[in-house]
């Protein structure tokens, strides 16, 4: 085969494929240009019909491009932002590669109008597939306005990789949201039109600080009171922004944002370090919200890793990870402790120093003491037996999906994730009214922590809670350490399984339904699983395009966890539409069990600890939590003897 030199147009089209893969990339690049041009006002407009994005326009009041430079700006590798290679290490602007405008112009029709001063004189340039169609003087306001239409008209293959309209719109909105969060002092407007009718508008005024933006963009009920301010320096890295504590958690990472300067950055190190720092306070696959702005002196990262410039590489990854971990760990735990302190009305005492027994826990009931049971002389040894085959249990479950549900799952595998801002929960019903009918029916399904055990082995002694996470107890002269969350989770898991195995699941009708807001795609997914949810005791209906109502719930959910648990259950449905049905049930039930359980970090009274341990004992406990983690460590006399070298020295 003969070797030929590629034409400029083809080279550009290939290069464009790296930078512009979907309409959202156009929005990203053009917003970044406007930010670099020091605009204080940016308006992003998107037009679509019922199927596809038709046109994108970005207007700014920044420096504008000089009329003599307009055509140059649309050529490949033309930039005003760097002059030599070294500059990219100290780059302050978002762009520097000089390829965004040329890439966009090579695969679309572009109309750009620019003016560099307030005289009202401007220039208009029209290009199609990089070819100049028109260049003329026009009246214009200071700044730059660019309209992009017919995207991918000459690279039709690319359109095949695009998601459905909703998916592309979500991706565009995410770009806008990210840049709103990344910048300060810019009035950003985002307007969407369907066939020329305005259908939505988002405005972030220039005066909004990061916290105002978070509250206005993510209208989650549980944000209030659970947002923690971050302002700390470690190893020369300055961290500023916000995190959520363990009470405001998400089902995915879509609300974890990191910024260096005005750049939105992604690096696995951010996510991994956050996971590590929250490992003890959040169950697996639950994520905090994070809005972290990172700054430092000198050159510590390389931003030239990928054409989209959102990936970065740290020169010293472990240094950064240690710094970030220590900051997050300290801040989050300080928040948890101070919250507990105020909730428990402990004005001066150091929460850490109080013993577990002296603390009033939110679980304890006044006057509740451990009821003395006749001592069981022949107490059976504490066996961690009855290991259950989870997959069998789940797949044999009566609430299996029907074949057409399966079909629906298959069809949904390419559907798009939920819009970040649509992820809000708004349970409008006042809980006291909503659950009043539950109160009288809880007796049979009360939390094990509050339920005195029926049998108490004489030689059981609960000793203490350690690190608000583990329960230490002695049984038959053997020492046991139990992970409180995992153990409680296992008990709840079994309890739910037993309830669901009943012929008729006990349900409670809510006087006032609970309402949950999700994106249109997600409410569709939820309603598609109406039958499945019904078998779990949850009766769900479509209230409006973006709101579902829940009118019946299973009785086994404790009242105080109801609202959040149902919210999580809906998230599991949204996340798991593509999973095999057995996985779906196992995951759903495991999540519910997890949510109903005491967490690491919750202090327990001695009575609650005893109730928990006895409940494990009564039920013939299992070795692992429903997520597969072990939850008990036994240290027997033999192990102690070995450790203390008593096997050889018998005195
Ligand atoms: N909105 C704008 N206002 C003023 N000047 C602009 C604007 N957009 C682009 N420019 C000018 O056009 C040049 C080319 O823009 P382009 O986006 O192609 O490259 P870049 O921003 O320099 O680098 P990158 O490819 O990394 O984005 C910029 O360097 C800048 O001088
Ligand atoms: Mg650019």
């Amino acid at each position: 085969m003969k070797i030929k030199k590629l034409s400029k147009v083809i080279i550009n089209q290939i290069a464009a494929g790296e930078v512009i893969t979907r309409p959202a990339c156009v929005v990203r690049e053009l917003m970044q240009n406007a930010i670099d041009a020091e605009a204080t006002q940016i308006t992003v407009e998107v037009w679509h019909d019922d199927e596809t994005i038709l046109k994108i326009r970005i207007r700014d009041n920044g420096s504008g491009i000089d009329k003599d430079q307009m055509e140059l700006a649309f050529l490949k590798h033309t930039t005003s932002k760097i002059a030599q290679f070294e500059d990219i290490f100290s780059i302050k602007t978002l762009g520097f590669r000089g390829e965004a405008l040329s890439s966009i112009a090579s695969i679309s029709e572009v109309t750009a109008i620019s003016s560099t001063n307030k005289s009202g004189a401007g220039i208009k340039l029209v290009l199609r597939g990089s070819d100049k169609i028109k260049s003329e003087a026009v009246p214009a306001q200071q700044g730059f306005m660019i309209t992009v239409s017919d995207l991918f008209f000459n690279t039709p293959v690319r359109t095949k990789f695009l998601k459905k309209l909703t998916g592309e719109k979500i991706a565009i909105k995410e770009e806008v949201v990210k840049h709103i969060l990344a910048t300060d002092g810019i009035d950003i407007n985002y307007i969407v039109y369907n066939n020329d009718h305005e259908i939505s508008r988002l405005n972030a005024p220039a005066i909004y600080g990061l916290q105002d933006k978070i509250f206005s963009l993510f209208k989650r009920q549980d944000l209030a009171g659970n947002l923690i301010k971050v302002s700390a320096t470690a190893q020369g890295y300055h961290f500023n922004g916000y995190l959520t504590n363990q009470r405001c958690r998400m089902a995915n990472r879509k609300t974890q944002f990191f910024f260096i300067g005005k750049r939105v950055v992604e690096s696995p190190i951010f996510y991994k370090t956050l996971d590590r720092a929250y490992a003890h306070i959040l169950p697996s696959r639950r994520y905090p919200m994070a809005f972290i702005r990172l700054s430092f002196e000198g050159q510590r990262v390389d931003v030239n890793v990928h054409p989209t410039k959102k990936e970065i590489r740290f020169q010293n990854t472990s240094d950064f990870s240690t710094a970030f971990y220590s900051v997050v760990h300290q801040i989050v735990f300080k928040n948890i402790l101070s919250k507990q302190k105020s909730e428990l009305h402990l004005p001066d005492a150091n929460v850490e120093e109080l013993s577990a027994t002296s603390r009033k826990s939110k679980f304890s009931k006044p006057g509740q003491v451990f009821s003395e049971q006749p001592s069981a002389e022949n107490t059976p040894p504490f066996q961690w037996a009855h290991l259950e085959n989870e997959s069998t249990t789940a797949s044999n479950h009566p609430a299996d999906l029907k074949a057409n549900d399966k079909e629906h799952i298959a069809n949904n595998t390419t559907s798009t994730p939920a819009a970040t801002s649509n992820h809000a929960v708004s349970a409008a019903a006042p809980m006291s009214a909503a659950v009043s009918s539950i109160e009288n029916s809880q007796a049979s399904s009360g939390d094990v922590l509050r339920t005195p055990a029926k049998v108490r082995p004489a030689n059981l002694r609960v000793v203490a809670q350690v690190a608000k996470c583990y329960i230490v107890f002695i049984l038959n002269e053997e020492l046991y350490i139990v992970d409180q969350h995992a153990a409680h989770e296992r008990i709840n898991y079994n309890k739910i399984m037993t309830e669901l195995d009943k012929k008729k699941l006990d349900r409670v009708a809510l006087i006032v339904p609970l309402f949950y807001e999700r994106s249109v795609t997600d409410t569709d997914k939820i309603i598609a699983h109406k039958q499945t949810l019904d078998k779990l005791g949850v009766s769900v209906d479509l209230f409006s395009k973006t709101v579902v109502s829940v009118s019946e719930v299973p009785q086994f959910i404790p009242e105080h966890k109801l609202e959040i648990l149902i919210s999580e259950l809906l998230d599991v449905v949204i996340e798991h539409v593509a999973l095999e049905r057995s996985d779906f049930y196992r995951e759903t039930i495991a999540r519910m069990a997890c949510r109903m359980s005491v967490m690491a970090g919750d202090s327990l009274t001695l009575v609650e600890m005893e109730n928990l341990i006895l409940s494990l004992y009564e039920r013939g406990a299992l070795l692992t939590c429903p997520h597969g983690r072990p939850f008990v460590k036994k240290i027997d006399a033999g192990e102690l003897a070995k450790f203390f070298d008593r096997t050889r020295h018998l005195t």
Side-chain angles (χ1 to χ4, degrees), residues 434-495:
V435 296
S436 61
S437 64
I438 296 180
E439 275 165 17
N440 299 329
S441 54
Q442 284 286 322
S444 63
S445 61
D447 192 319
V448 292
L449 297 179
R450 307 177 188 196
T451 316
K454 292 185 198 79
V455 186
R456 181 177 200 241
N459 37 10
L460 168 78
R461 198 147 46 89
V462 174
V463 182
Q465 187 189 26
V466 177
K468 291 201 197 106
C469 190
Y470 308 103
I471 300 169
V472 179
F473 69 96
I474 295 166
L475 184 76
N476 296 337
E477 292 308 311
E478 287 169 338
L479 184 67
Y480 291 86
I481 304 168
V482 163
D483 180 319
Q484 63 188 41
H485 171 70
H488 198 188
E489 193 177 25
R490 167 50 79 184
I491 294 169
N492 282 329
Y493 182 84
N494 288 10
K495 199 165 88 177

Side-chain angles (χ1 to χ4, degrees), residues 289-304:
M289 293 171 98
F291 309 86
I292 300 292
R293 291 175 172 181
L294 173 66
S295 58
F296 41 80
E297 306 300 322
Q299 301 161 3
R300 293 186 175 203
V301 294
D302 182 0
V303 289
N304 193 25

Side-chain angles (χ1 to χ4, degrees), residues 154-417:
N154 52 358
T155 52
V157 180
R158 181 134 319 267
T159 51
K160 293 206 180 95
F161 291 97
L162 293 182
K163 300 218 158 128
K164 286 188 190 137
L165 176 68
T166 328
E168 295 304 326
K169 275 173 64 182
I170 288 169
I172 292 176
K173 190 170 173 189
E174 283 175 356
E175 285 302 336
V176 175
V177 165
K178 280 180 197 167
H179 288 93
I180 288 175
L181 292 168
T183 53
D184 287 315
I186 308 180
D187 188 75
I188 298 181
N189 280 287
Y190 172 55
I191 310 163
V192 182
Y193 306 89
N194 184 346
N195 293 319
D196 283 336
H197 295 295
E198 183 180 320
I199 54 165
S200 72
R201 180 182 282 260
L202 182 74
N203 170 242
I207 47 157
Y208 270 23
L210 183 55
Q211 189 178 342
D212 306 316
K213 290 177 181 178
I214 295 169
F215 277 109
S216 72
L217 290 169
F218 307 94
K219 296 185 177 67
R220 283 183 67 104
Q221 225 180 29
D222 52 359
L223 255 181
N226 293 321
L227 204 59
I228 318 170
K229 190 169 168 51
V230 176
S231 174
T233 298
Q235 320 217 14
Y237 292 101
H238 311 295
F239 299 90
N240 283 292
Y242 294 88
L243 289 167
T244 52
N245 63 21
Q246 82 284 12
R247 294 180 196 191
C248 177
R249 54 179 86 170
M250 308 295 285
N252 55 44
R253 294 186 191 281
K254 277 176 156 283
T255 46
Q256 296 189 337
F257 300 93
F258 302 95
F259 311 98
I260 297 182
K262 294 173 205 157
R263 190 183 304 283
V264 185
V265 289
E266 282 175 17
S267 166
I269 194 77
F270 286 117
Y271 306 120
K272 279 190 195 154
T273 312
L274 262 192
D275 285 355
R276 211 154 47 86
Y278 277 82
H280 296 295
I281 53 168
L282 285 186
S284 68
R285 293 210 262 147
R286 296 284 103 179
Y287 309 94
M289 293 171 98
F291 309 86
I292 300 292
R293 291 175 172 181
L294 173 66
S295 58
F296 41 80
E297 306 300 322
Q299 301 161 3
R300 293 186 175 203
V301 294
D302 182 0
V303 289
N304 193 25
V305 180
H306 190 267
T308 60
K309 292 158 281 172
K310 63 183 181 189
E311 264 177 55
I312 52 149
R313 198 175 290 139
F314 282 91
Q315 275 168 13
N316 190 334
T317 313
S318 72
D319 231 34
F320 168 75
S321 175
T322 313
F324 188 33
Y325 177 85
S326 68
V327 164
V328 175
H329 192 77
Q330 259 184 35
I331 288 178
V332 173
F333 273 88
K334 213 166 130 199
N335 173 273
I336 292 173
L337 290 178
S338 72
K339 269 225 143 58
Q340 278 179 4
K341 202 163 124 177
S342 64
E343 276 166 21
L344 298 169
H345 310 294
L346 301 169
D348 299 319
N350 178 350
V351 179
E352 284 290 53
E353 282 168 13
L354 291 170
S355 78
T357 44
S358 69
R359 247 176 275 169
K360 266 192 247 142
S361 154
K362 57 179 183 261
F363 295 108
S364 61
K365 278 186 178 170
Q368 185 188 36
V369 285
F370 186 82
S371 57
E372 286 292 331
Q373 302 289 335
S375 66
E377 282 299 4
N378 296 321
T379 314
F382 201 49
Q383 280 170 355
W384 307 95
H386 313 303
L387 266 174
E388 161 197 44
N389 180 343
E390 286 190 10
S391 57
T392 323
T393 319
S395 58
N396 284 346
H397 199 266
D400 276 349
L401 290 178
K402 297 246 165 56
N404 54 356
D405 283 338
K406 248 181 157 181
E407 228 173 81
H408 183 88
I409 288 170
N411 290 339
N412 264 304
T413 47
T414 53
S415 61
T416 47

Side-chain angles (χ1 to χ4, degrees), residues 26 31 35 46 90 106 134 158 211 250 306 366-367 389-390 408 430 509 544 550 564 641:
V26 173
M31 281 190 87
I35 293 165
V46 171
S90 52
S106 71
K134 198 189 278 178
R158 181 134 319 267
Q211 189 178 342
M250 308 295 285
H306 190 267
N389 180 343
E390 286 190 10
H408 183 88
S544 74
V550 172
I564 189 76

